[in-house]
Amino acid sequence: MEHSTRSQAEASKPAMGWSRPLARPVTLRDGSSLVTLADVRTFLFKRMQGNRRESPNWQRVTALLLSAARSDAVDVADVTIALEMAASMDEGPPKPEPK
């Protein structure tokens, strides 16, 4: 009986670690959407070129991301905001649509 009580309590907890959702989905200019901390991790470490990751904006995203994955005390809204800011500054102004 005690085991089932623990399982129910664990099931009612919010997602932890890499499965935690961002405060809101972040859509990048290439059309890809980042929804969880794992999505951001994949974007940073597998899709982004290393030299771009070295900018202060992306280093802040990385630090917040790693902290949020380790502890639910770190608010995912902070990761989301830093990600949105870094992406908007990194990608520059929108390209004009062809006429």
Side-chain angles (χ1 to χ4, degrees):
M1 289 290 195
E2 187 176 318
H3 180 267
S4 64
T5 304
R6 264 189 260 148
S7 297
Q8 290 173 351
E10 289 172 5
S12 66
K13 286 184 181 180
M16 296 278 298
W18 295 110
S19 63
R20 289 177 68 190
L22 297 174
R24 61 193 157 275
V26 176
T27 302
L28 303 175
R29 288 189 190 234
D30 68 1
S32 61
S33 185
L34 307 178
V35 179
T36 65
L37 296 180
D39 294 339
V40 179
R41 176 187 63 192
T42 299
F43 171 72
L44 286 173
F45 297 110
K46 293 186 179 176
R47 292 178 40 210
M48 180 183 271
Q49 294 179 354
N51 59 341
R52 283 178 56 205
R53 261 196 321 267
E54 294 173 10
S55 78
N57 293 325
W58 288 113
Q59 286 183 359
R60 174 143 177 81
V61 172
T62 301
L64 287 169
L65 172 69
L66 295 173
S67 295
R70 288 185 194 121
S71 170
D72 62 346
V74 177
D75 192 348
V76 292
D78 293 336
V79 179
T80 306
I81 292 167
L83 174 62
E84 291 170 333
M85 290 177 61
S88 69
M89 294 174 86
D90 190 44
E91 295 173 346
K95 295 177 183 175
E97 302 226 358
K99 294 182 180 185

